Amino acid sequence: MMPSARARVHVFAHGRGRRYSRRVALTIWCNAKLPDGARRALEAGTRAHRLVVPEQGLVAASGEGVPDEGLATADVAFGQPEPTQLISSRARWVQLSSAGYNPYDRDDLRTAFVTRGAMLTKSSLVYDAPCAEHALAFMLAHERRLPDAMENQRAPRAWPQHALRASARRMGALTIALVGYGSIGRRLTAMLAPMGANVVGIRRRAGGDDPVPTFVWGTPAAAKALATADHVVDLLPGGPGTRHAFDAAVFASLKPGAIFVNIGRGSTVDQTALVAALASGQLAAAYLDVTDPEPLPPDHALWTTPNCFVSPHVAGGHADESERLVCHFLDNLSYFERGLPLLDRVY
């Protein structure tokens, strides 16, 4: 049945695929913002089904008070559906177009999904490599003294060859603590391995199959690992459980002169404490891809704090990001159709 006019959706007619009958065709709702090429790939990859795309105005206005009839009747959702509306929907599988899932980490939503046997997946496999590369770029830039060289180029254009050479360090001589050890941490571990760096992981919950020694956040073993790290990389997700995980006490416990990198979420850091740790020299530098709030106001202290370097939440970005998001969804769609385990499952 076609959706009512009130639903304001574009429907792409499917159901004539060679391998699928109308009896098993799915209604797939998608509000992911995709450029033309990625959108065409999604349409082609779902031609055996019924693809429902809300109009842009509805996407922008979507919220608890704006019911989306297309989402309510969808079997599958892809993008960033409103969490509360998912509770009463019939969706059997939802794939987020993001690596983070904090808005969906809710007891009421989990209960609804478990009750009807639904699944939630995310797109970490699309973003883990570029995020890991961004973190590595931050660390390499610092150890090869690139910010100092670029500052010299702006002024005074001297030739501090000996000073920069003497202060550069090899990654193989350093200890790297990855806090929030998950898919990005695993990727970064693999990138650091040929360099010989000593890598440790710190998790919120015990792991078991991690490729490096891992410790549980808040334990003496984790505190000891943090205290000996030359680089501390924050990969924590957002949410009440991680808010200001890095506070004044944690910064004070780090090795004097440590470098702090944040690729996780800005809310995990007490930024007043971070500015103080940089000003006192407790931290030698901070490299931030995320802040709280975002965008960071032009007059915020982080912009002008010495040895603080900010990139505007671009770590996960890459030229073929949208195409890879669609490919990841279509891979999971093929698994869903065959009843196989899905990639990047949250619950």
Side-chain angles (χ1 to χ4, degrees), residues 4-17:
S4 69
R6 279 176 34 192
R8 293 189 294 153
V9 296
H10 300 296
V11 177
F12 299 90
H14 297 312
R16 302 190 182 215

Side-chain angles (χ1 to χ4, degrees), residues 200-205 213-217 219 221-223 225:
V200 296
I202 297 176
R203 308 179 58 118
R204 292 182 294 163
R205 291 176 287 273
T214 58
F215 311 98
V216 176
W217 176 267
T219 63

Side-chain angles (χ1 to χ4, degrees), residues 36 93 120 135 151 186 211 223 303 324 340:
D36 290 344
W93 164 45
L120 179 72
E151 187 65 26
R186 287 175 175 270
W303 287 117
R324 294 186 67 229
L340 300 175

Side-chain angles (χ1 to χ4, degrees), residues 217 223 226 244-254 270 273-274 277 282:
W217 176 267
L226 283 172
H244 289 186
F246 284 92
D247 57 14
V250 172
F251 285 130
S253 72
L254 300 183
D270 180 339
L274 174 59
Q282 171 64 12

Side-chain angles (χ1 to χ4, degrees), residues 25-26 73 75 121 129 137 185 187 203 276:
L26 302 166
T73 58
D75 302 296
T121 59
R187 282 278 192 166
R203 308 179 58 118

